[in-house]
Amino acid sequence: MVSDSAAADRPVTRLLAEAVAALGGQERAGQVLMAEAVGDALAGEQHLLVQAGTGTGKSLAYLVPSLLHRERVVIATATLALQHQLVERDIPRLVKAVERPGLDTSYAVLKGRSNYACLHRVREGAPDDQGVLIEAPTGSMGAEVLKLREWVEEEAESGGTGEKDNAPRHTEKVWRQVSVSARECLGRARCVYGEECFAEQAKEKAARSKLVITNHSLLAIDAIEGIPMIPEYDAVVIDEAHELTARITQAATDELSVSEVERAARRAQRYVDGDQATELADAADALSDAIAAAPEGRIDQVPAQLAEALVLVRDAARAALGAFPKESDGDVDPGRTQAKGGVQEVFNTSERMAAGSDADVLWLNGREVSRGGPQLCIAPLQVWGQMRDKLLTDKTVIFTSATLMLGGNFDSVAGSLGLKPAERAADDLPTPSDAPSDALPWRAVDVGSPFDYRKQAILYVARHLPPPGRDGLGKAQLDEIVDLVDAAGGRTLGLFSSRRAAEAAAEEVRARLPHLTTLAQGEAQLPELARQFVEDPYTCLFGTLTLWQGLDVPGDTCQLVLIDRIPFPRPDDPLMSARQRAADQAGGNGFMQVAATHAALLMAQGAGRLIRTTSDKGVVAVLDPRLATARYGGFLRASLPPMWPTEDRELVRGALKRLAAG
């Protein structure tokens, strides 16, 4: 063990103490422990999992050792909210507090290309579906586009970043008129605006910086898919690490629709001589017929008609690509670049789908998915292998989140990230010398929380209620919701497993408790709903997944968190059901490894909405009796913060009334 005096002399500990003092904060034991663990992991090139409860100050705990590390460190977040917090508040304040000669405190933000305005598109116009350049849409949308274009020019003149998040209010459709995707980009060397390009300037700044702040998706594209997006780096800190596998899966998921193939064929028609574009359009017709005959949901055995159609699309797209004229120096045509990029995307996706790899899951997504019609979707069966082979073997990785221990240990999350439980090193011992050469040693630490959950929070399980049914909320559940909300006097965040359940609960509370304000997700943008919820304590906010994970509402505004049912994935979820079956076939317990782990993570995130400061108090009420009665209930309860548990309804109502009375 290291003595307290020796620990205080460590550079990480000293710099952290200096930063905390300069920022007017107080020393937090968990923050110090985390900073030292991160510093040791970076120095020893060993992977680390850190569970740090809300209020630990984990961003400072990984930023300080990252600044002291000898090489560039990437910081990857899942949400824009945390990225903004780091870039707009945490890092600038830290840099100001610790800046000195010899300490490189440079940092930069790096996002995907479509997050930056494109000067070529703004100044030269955007190609339509036939590749014809158009100046701007007409009507109200045209006015919004013109306003954005003016902003882009102001950004270029003032040396701004041209980032989407800094732009005037706009819709996604409007933003697409001033930006390009990676496949539509002409490339720096061929674009007349390459030298002043916002995206290129962001990359250049990142290449000069010690810290690079990015997101999980861009990290996945760079490390997993092997497309260079981030300057060379030595280590990565992955914050909000509980979301990483979902984000990597999302980044590696491809879709193919008939309308997409038809659009690619139309765009190619203008540039391709011969019949290749027509053959691609014919292949789209074959795909349309095959999709109409295919079953919805997961496709384990691809029907012959669909397999043939995918091969037709693949071969026609390959032929069309080969028919595009070769480009010469100075021959810049954004319409052609966009057209070829569209065909390339169709080829890549159809080739992947036609391959029928066991490493992928294929499914048909709904017949009314969008105006583009049904979509074929393909995603990796698992991502831990790619994580292990393409990121963990090359870089030192620090994973951190408030929820990394599920069922009381780190094994579930570590396994999903590509780390094997058998490779975990003992806390105070070096890695064994006889470890296999391909072993990836890792350590894990739970630095605790500054909150006293047993004194601040009650976990109420409504054991007396009937198990939830397939038809949504029943009368017993609705009565329970109304009684609890009434006792709390509003101040309720309702987390529901479906939009239908959230709306049904909101309707019931409005009818029976009209003196309260009841908001439902979808009635306004989430920031506006959150603002109303915070400003008026006599308010309830009911919603689904975005509220489970992204809402931060400290204080008296939230004293009751309702969870209607254990959030298992839907039985017909194509990817989750495939992963569960694969785990069973490998000799594991698919339900526990996939469904229960998924539910535990969401429940931990949902329960975490309640206590956000040391003065918060309240109740997490779970209306699903299976949390108390089912065999897996213990695993789920062990994944939640250590709240004081009860099944006594009247006790809980009394506690809520006392809290509401102040």
Side-chain angles (χ1 to χ4, degrees):
M1 296 293 291
V2 179
S3 68
D4 290 343
S5 59
D9 287 337
R10 300 178 63 179
V12 167
T13 313
R14 289 200 308 271
L15 191 62
L16 177 63
E18 183 180 324
V20 169
L23 296 173
Q26 293 183 328
E27 180 180 297
R28 285 172 272 189
Q31 187 181 56
V32 174
L33 179 60
M34 178 174 173
E36 292 173 350
V38 172
D40 290 343
L42 292 174
E45 300 181 343
Q46 189 173 60
H47 305 306
L48 175 70
L49 273 68
V50 186
Q51 176 162 289
T54 305
T56 300
K58 60 183 168 64
S59 59
L60 206 59
Y62 62 66
L63 288 171
V64 167
S66 296
L67 285 177
L68 289 172
H69 188 55
R70 61 187 179 277
E71 304 289 347
R72 179 179 294 117
V73 177
V74 170
I75 313 291
T77 72
T79 62
L80 283 173
L82 179 56
Q83 191 174 91
H84 285 161
Q85 177 187 315
L86 288 172
V87 175
E88 302 298 329
R89 192 189 73 183
D90 293 353
I91 297 178
R93 293 175 67 205
L94 173 62
V95 166
K96 187 176 180 181
V98 303
E99 205 164 17
R100 70 197 59 187
L103 180 63
D104 186 352
T105 57
S106 57
Y107 63 94
V109 183
L110 200 54
K111 302 177 181 179
R113 189 166 291 273
S114 62
N115 286 279
Y116 301 94
C118 172
L119 291 171
H120 193 286
R121 174 156 286 191
V122 167
R123 293 169 179 172
E124 305 294 337
D128 64 10
D129 267 5
Q130 282 73 43
V132 179
L133 290 174
I134 54 175
E135 290 191 0
T138 57
S140 59
M141 181 178 170
E144 287 185 58
V145 172
L146 290 174
K147 186 177 180 181
L148 268 185
R149 288 182 174 181
E150 290 173 4
W151 169 80
V152 171
E153 293 296 356
E154 290 170 2
E155 285 285 282
E157 188 174 339
S158 64
T161 63
E163 290 179 49
K164 175 182 177 181
D165 298 325
N166 299 331
R169 283 185 72 173
H170 59 271
T171 64
E172 286 294 320
K173 190 173 184 180
V174 168
W175 180 256
R176 286 197 293 270
Q177 299 298 316
V178 298
S179 65
V180 296
S181 65
R183 66 175 173 80
E184 294 172 321
C185 178
L186 297 172
R188 177 169 184 165
R190 299 179 58 246
C191 179
V192 293
Y193 306 109
E195 292 300 315
E196 51 183 322
C197 170
F198 295 119
E200 290 297 327
Q201 287 182 350
K203 286 176 67 175
E204 288 176 0
K205 184 177 180 183
R208 299 191 302 268
S209 298
K210 180 65 174 293
L211 301 183
V212 175
I213 294 74
T214 188
N215 56 58
H216 290 183
S217 298
L218 200 67
L219 177 70
I221 293 169
D222 180 85
I224 309 299
E225 296 186 28
I227 301 171
M229 305 292 288
I230 304 172
E232 184 60 36
Y233 58 97
D234 181 66
V236 56
V237 176
I238 299 176
D239 204 341
E240 301 175 306
H242 61 276
E243 292 196 44
L244 182 63
T245 57
R247 299 290 173 139
I248 291 178
T249 299
Q250 187 179 36
T253 298
D254 290 321
E255 293 102 17
L256 185 69
S257 65
V258 173
S259 60
E260 183 183 357
V261 181
E262 290 173 339
R263 184 166 58 251
R266 281 197 307 272
R267 288 173 168 175
Q269 189 79 50
R270 189 165 183 262
Y271 302 98
V272 171
D273 294 329
D275 299 328
Q276 288 86 353
T278 303
E279 289 171 0
L280 186 56
D282 292 342
D285 292 338
L287 182 64
S288 178
D289 293 341
I291 285 178
E296 289 190 62
R298 195 178 75 223
I299 301 174
D300 293 326
Q301 188 66 41
V302 181
Q305 184 181 3
L306 181 58
E308 291 170 5
L310 287 170
V311 169
L312 279 175
V313 172
R314 179 198 66 192
D315 292 347
R318 180 192 287 123
L321 284 172
F324 272 86
K326 295 192 181 301
E327 300 169 355
S328 57
D329 291 341
D331 178 21
V332 176
D333 186 338
R336 182 176 58 204
T337 300
Q338 178 175 294
K340 190 172 183 180
V343 176
Q344 183 70 57
E345 195 162 305
V346 166
F347 171 73
N348 292 345
T349 304
S350 57
E351 182 181 46
R352 181 182 177 188
M353 291 178 174
S357 169
D358 291 340
D360 280 328
V361 180
L362 179 70
W363 70 93
L364 180 59
N365 193 6
R367 304 200 177 271
E368 299 296 334
V369 168
S370 66
R371 287 178 298 175
Q375 288 181 324
L376 280 171
C377 305
I378 192 165
L381 178 61
Q382 50 84 1
V383 298
W384 67 262
Q386 295 170 298
M387 281 281 297
R388 185 176 178 89
D389 295 341
K390 298 181 179 179
L391 179 63
L392 295 170
T393 56
D394 293 331
K395 313 293 183 186
T396 301
V397 185
I398 314 296
F399 302 96
T400 185
S401 166
T403 46
L404 290 181
M405 295 180 71
L406 300 180
N409 62 62
F410 289 95
D411 290 354
S412 294
V413 171
S416 71
L417 297 171
L419 296 168
K420 300 175 181 179
E423 295 172 329
R424 181 175 177 180
D427 290 340
D428 295 312
L429 297 175
T431 304
S433 58
D434 59 349
S437 58
D438 62 346
L440 299 177
W442 58 281
R443 283 190 166 86
V445 58
D446 176 12
V447 301
S449 167
F451 307 145
D452 188 341
Y453 281 102
R454 290 188 68 84
K455 290 184 178 180
Q456 292 182 247
I458 295 173
L459 173 63
Y460 166 55
V461 182
R463 187 174 186 143
H464 63 281
L465 291 178
R470 294 184 178 180
D471 298 327
L473 297 174
K475 183 178 183 303
Q477 283 89 358
L478 290 170
D479 287 345
E480 187 85 9
I481 290 170
V482 171
D483 284 349
L484 292 170
V485 169
D486 187 31
R491 301 176 174 86
T492 302
L493 178 64
L495 306 177
F496 293 86
S497 53
S498 68
R499 178 67 66 90
R500 184 177 67 163
E503 291 170 349
E507 185 178 340
E508 189 78 7
V509 172
R510 282 176 183 142
R512 294 169 61 179
L513 303 173
H515 59 289
L516 300 176
T517 301
T518 303
L519 308 171
Q521 189 175 352
E523 295 173 347
Q525 293 296 312
L526 187 55
E528 174 62 20
L529 292 173
R531 184 188 62 77
Q532 292 183 53
F533 184 53
V534 169
E535 290 179 355
D536 181 5
Y538 304 105
T539 300
C540 305
L541 174 56
F542 295 163
T544 56
L545 191 60
T546 355
L547 301 187
W548 287 71
Q549 296 181 299
L551 203 62
D552 185 12
V553 282
D556 295 343
T557 190
C558 181
Q559 294 182 338
L560 171 62
V561 171
L562 284 170
I563 296 177
D564 70 327
R565 65 191 297 161
I566 297 171
F568 292 120
R570 290 169 53 98
D572 60 353
D573 181 294
L575 191 53
M576 288 292 191
S577 61
R579 287 175 172 174
Q580 190 166 324
R581 182 183 63 179
D584 286 334
Q585 291 174 344
N589 183 328
F591 172 77
M592 292 301 296
Q593 290 175 231
V594 179
T597 296
H598 172 86
L601 186 55
L602 275 181
M603 288 196 73
Q605 286 288 304
R609 301 307 98 197
L610 180 68
I611 305 299
R612 310 299 291 178
T613 72
T614 54
S615 60
D616 288 348
K617 293 183 179 180
V619 174
V620 173
V622 181
L623 308 186
D624 190 334
R626 295 175 296 175
L627 188 62
T629 60
R631 292 179 61 185
Y632 52 77
F635 173 80
L636 298 177
R637 291 193 304 273
S639 305
L640 299 175
M643 300 171 280
W644 189 79
T646 185
E647 298 171 7
D648 188 329
R649 178 171 172 269
E650 292 309 313
L651 182 150
V652 168
R653 291 184 75 246
L656 288 170
K657 287 180 179 179
R658 288 191 296 275
L659 283 173

